[in-house]
Amino acid sequence: SASNKRLDLWVDPTSAIGYIGANQSAQQLSFQTSNSDRIRILNNGNVGIGTTGPTRTLDVRTDSGVLIKGATGTANAKISFLPASGGRQYDLGNVGADFRIFDASAGVTRMYFDNDGNTGIGTTTPGYKLDVVSTGDGLLSLTGGTKPAMIFKVGTAVVGGIQAQANTSLNVSAYGTSS
């Protein structure tokens, strides 16, 4: 139609490999291959990859995942989050074979996941499945309803636990005994 224009891309005179299409009335732009939209830009600036109706500035829909990779052999990939005004910048990204949540505003790693499956809070060298390190008081806070608890298991067997009783007492149990 008069309101739709397109630029066909050809590799030879008989077969187009794709096209860039413009819909004048909707003020949209689409990039297509094999007669399917691959990228759609709406008149509000939203960009869709894998969707013709993007609902955010960048809307990616795929069943095969999204890859963000460093450009050179030693570069680490990351995604940065920064509020429009004020606030802190946080980066999610890899460090070699490991992964971290980095507070770029403070220059501090907040959480670190090593390639052995260990998680560090306050440390980039966790030695345990959960390794919490602090230079101050209050290393770990556990908040629950009226009876917050920690349970200790060996395999599937409960071997002990710690439970607060309605903010009045603390029970420590080992192998079914209490103290």
Side-chain angles (χ1 to χ4, degrees):
S1 77
S3 66
N4 295 324
K5 305 292 182 200
R6 69 186 227 183
L7 172 65
D8 289 312
L9 306 172
W10 300 78
V11 291
D12 63 50
T14 61
S15 61
I17 60 167
Y19 71 84
I20 302 170
N23 181 317
Q24 185 175 348
S25 61
Q27 296 180 335
Q28 298 178 9
L29 186 62
S30 65
F31 297 80
Q32 294 191 352
T33 60
S34 301
N35 294 319
S36 295
D37 268 27
R38 304 302 179 185
I39 300 173
R40 174 74 62 106
I41 304 171
L42 301 182
N43 62 1
N44 64 2
N46 288 355
V47 176
I49 300 174
T51 178
T52 59
T55 60
R56 300 285 188 273
T57 302
L58 178 60
D59 187 341
V60 179
R61 300 187 193 185
T62 175
D63 292 328
S64 61
V66 175
L67 174 65
I68 298 174
K69 185 176 180 178
T72 64
T74 59
N76 292 311
K78 69 178 178 182
I79 298 173
S80 298
F81 298 89
L82 179 65
S85 176
R88 304 182 85 82
Q89 176 180 329
Y90 286 93
D91 298 336
L92 303 178
N94 65 318
V95 180
D98 301 337
F99 184 81
R100 72 177 176 174
I101 299 173
F102 185 72
D103 181 343
S105 299
V108 175
T109 297
R110 298 295 181 188
M111 188 173 269
Y112 197 89
F113 307 88
D114 75 12
N115 63 352
D116 292 324
N118 296 333
T119 300
I121 299 174
T123 179
T124 57
T125 56
Y128 305 97
K129 292 298 175 190
L130 178 59
D131 198 345
V132 180
V133 177
S134 175
T135 57
D137 294 334
L139 291 176
L140 186 62
S141 173
L142 179 63
T143 304
T146 58
K147 296 181 180 182
M150 290 177 54
I151 305 297
F152 301 97
K153 291 183 175 184
V154 174
T156 59
V158 174
V159 296
I162 302 171
Q163 182 179 45
Q165 297 292 319
N167 298 323
T168 60
S169 65
L170 184 66
N171 292 338
V172 177
S173 299
Y175 298 99
T177 61
S178 292
S179 60

